[in-house]
Amino acid sequence: MEAAIAGIGATEFSKESGRSELRLAAEAVLAALADAGLDPSDVDGMVTFTQDSNQEISVAKEIGAGDLTFFSRVHYGGGAACGTVMHAAMAVATGMADTVVCYRAFNERSGRRFGQPDARLGGEPSSQGLEMSWHVPYGLMTPAAWVAMFAQRYMHTTGATSEDFGRVAVAMRRHASTNPAAWFHQRPITLAEHQESRWIVEPLHLLDCCQESDGAVAVVVTTAERARDLRQAPALITAAAQGAGAGQMMMTSYYRDGMDGLPEISVVGRRLWEMSGLGPSDIQTAILYDHFTPFVLMQLEELGFCGRGEARSYIQDGGIELGGRLPVNPHGGQLGEAYIHGMNGIAEAVRQVRGSSVNQVPGVHNVLVTAGTGVPTSGLILSAA
Amino acid sequence: MTSDELLELADKQIAMGELRGSPSDDPVNAPMIRHWLDAMGNRNPLFLDKGLAPPSMAQVWTMSGVKRGKDPSPVDDLLKALDAHGYTGVVATNCEHTYHRYVRVGERLTPGTRFTSLAGPKKTAMGEGYFATWNVTWYDEDSEPVAEMMFRVLKFRPRVRREPYPLKPAVNRDTAFFWEGVRQGELRIQRCSSCGSLRHPPGPVCPSCHSTEQGYVVACGEGTVYSYVVHHHPPVPGKETPFVVAVVELPEGVRIVGNIVDCPVEAVGIGMSLRVTYRPMDDELILPMWAPRET
Ligand SMILES: [Zn+2]
């Protein structure tokens, strides 16, 4: 693909930003443009999540952008993250725009919290409301609960335990502990602490669930050719894909298969490997969406880093920690750094490609990135030029 | 006590026939007649002039005082039984008097009470209830009846208006058959009228043959736990934590989500046998849920 990420920007990650979501979006976008060495007047395209509360035109107005020739939104919660970059890459590759900004900004901790039950979920006779209506009346209505239903089945068929899930949390908190931008900077946890943390929805403990954050992240996508002349070394978009599986539902695909895998990530993985000509052994570090620990294990299997049911042994003995066989989320992921709906992971992938991360993995050529799982999702492979 | 038992008690009370009470403490007297006429706004001078009591005063003469024990009556046991079974509300529905003659000042009356009927349970605007009817006859000192009263009350179970359950499903024309089935105590699975495929959750178009003609079959009501969660946190409106939600696999070949009830949380496991049960959530919504199947 002829596109690259030329700039990244973010606000600080907090529990209460004290600012409007629009201001957070504008700050992150301006930071990303400055990082790329571009001017707001260069921006002619914008992409965000359907869930974002900041209109593209509102952000464009705040940063003083000129005319827009491309704007688009990606649906399905955190599954949109890599999809925004894919839409932007398609726009620059087809000449629909030259400089496209992707952003996500929210006060998810101090404002609307996604983990809280919302009785309106099942109230509307839209296709999504009707889908929710098979679950919400029974109180099955939080992301943790939706994911826990898969996790229970996964444990049953693979023999994975709560401690296996805990190893993911321990790895992420270890990475975050040496990342000054992370909320959990200098606050690692032990497996025992994971086991002792209270139940949220069995089989998930509190420390299986990622934190909630206020903040914003933006990235600038332009053509690979133009990116080479800009301030930063480009992160080439070697492959990008969206994916939904047959019989997919928003987060409750309980009716289609064994419930011990993530077919939508398999769709994305297949496309990424085909498009890039790469395979798992070509990836030096991966950014795997870690809203809940069990789905990190299932992603490792779906993407082919290990076989079915083998993730629990793959992650043992620090397998996904810095220095392990595949360092996952060197920034600490959403469990450790911040929950910015996956966009902070894309920024970390760019830093790894540039060689500028505080937790730099040696010799990075290709980084695989995924977006929210259990929902229609997306993925990227970013590469050094 | 079932409704049959209440009706049996009623038959017993009817069979007791009339129970005579004690003669009135005071004879029919002018001061009471004067108060009555005054209170009723009756200006007819004939009553006091001739020493006659208005017939509608019949009950007045034998009414027991607040602090004195009442005479036994065949009605009391039945009203107590109705109270005990939740029919605590009461409203008088009928009162008919029959008069045989005027009563004179100086006479002493004696009441006799017989229970005559119990009808119910009946659905009424006040709630479900029973109509209880009895008769009181007032006798003079020669045991001749002077007045009679038929009295009927509705003893009802006060309708508790439930709080509306906050987690309502959205229902549209593609899914209405399912919720209609639940109201009738049926677990309905969508069945394509063209190719026969079963499908849950249902939808408007058969994914196999694209037919839009959709019918349903009624599931046998059994299932097994395919997966489940125990919800602890955060609190969910309308639910008490911890509660269990399961993906239930039906022998018909589809899965459905529901709560597991009547079972300790620790006893739930994958593969557990279940049977459907229907739970009213408020005045309108019934949800199919799952209880352990007796072996
Ligand atoms: Zn069909």
Side-chain angles (χ1 to χ4, degrees), chain B residues 154-185:
Chain B
L154 169 66
K155 287 287 288 171
F156 61 95
R157 195 189 291 279
R159 181 172 292 176
V160 197
R161 269 215 88 77
R162 296 213 210 191
E163 283 298 302
Y165 184 65
L167 307 178
K168 302 261 194 230
V171 178
N172 77 351
R173 59 192 68 193
D174 300 329
T175 66
F177 78 95
F178 178 89
W179 298 104
E180 180 54 39
V182 168
R183 274 191 294 278
Q184 296 177 27

Side-chain angles (χ1 to χ4, degrees), chain A residues 76-97:
Chain A
Y76 306 115
C82 298
T84 63
V85 175
M86 184 184 110
H87 285 216
M90 291 194 296
V92 301
T94 55
M96 297 298 167

Side-chain angles (χ1 to χ4, degrees), chain A residues 47 227 266 294 304 308 330 334 339 370:
Chain A
V47 188
S266 184
R308 294 250 167 222
Q334 305 193 94
Y339 175 66
T370 61

Side-chain angles (χ1 to χ4, degrees), chain A residues 122 133 137 149 153 202 254 257, chain B residues 165 170 226-227 230 232-233 255:
Chain A
S133 292
M149 195 70 87
R153 188 71 201 176
E202 286 179 61
Y254 304 145
D257 59 11
Chain B
Y165 184 65
Y226 193 76
S227 191
V230 185
H232 293 268
H233 195 79
R255 293 179 201 154

Side-chain angles (χ1 to χ4, degrees), chain B residues 99-255:
Chain B
Y99 308 123
H100 298 288
R101 68 170 175 85
Y102 285 105
V103 181
R104 296 178 178 285
V105 170
E107 285 191 274
R108 249 176 228 275
L109 301 184
T110 301
T113 307
R114 57 199 157 87
F115 189 76
T116 54
S117 79
L118 183 74
K122 299 201 162 157
K123 299 225 183 295
T124 77
M126 312 287 295
E128 187 191 87
Y130 286 84
F131 289 95
T133 311
W134 61 90
N135 263 69
V136 183
T137 307
W138 285 272
Y139 298 93
D140 62 16
E141 280 131 308
D142 299 326
S143 253
E144 289 300 321
V146 297
E148 289 179 47
M149 174 179 74
M150 184 277 277
F151 201 71
R152 181 173 296 143
V153 298
L154 169 66
K155 287 287 288 171
F156 61 95
R157 195 189 291 279
R159 181 172 292 176
V160 197
R161 269 215 88 77
R162 296 213 210 191
E163 283 298 302
Y165 184 65
L167 307 178
K168 302 261 194 230
V171 178
N172 77 351
R173 59 192 68 193
D174 300 329
T175 66
F177 78 95
F178 178 89
W179 298 104
E180 180 54 39
V182 168
R183 274 191 294 278
Q184 296 177 27
E186 288 182 358
L187 192 67
R188 295 178 179 174
I189 306 169
Q190 185 175 58
R191 181 181 180 278
C192 175
S193 303
S194 168
C195 76
S197 305
L198 297 187
R199 182 188 188 199
H200 186 86
V205 180
C206 173
S208 307
C209 76
H210 303 150
S211 169
T212 53
E213 299 296 315
Q214 299 300 320
Y216 63 83
V217 294
V218 176
C220 73
E222 293 180 358
T224 54
V225 176
Y226 193 76
S227 191
Y228 70 99
V229 302
V230 185
H231 188 106
H232 293 268
H233 195 79
V236 172
K239 307 291 284 185
E240 260 178 50
T241 54
F243 60 88
V244 179
V245 195
V247 173
V248 179
E249 193 157 58
L250 307 189
E252 289 82 4
V254 300
R255 293 179 201 154

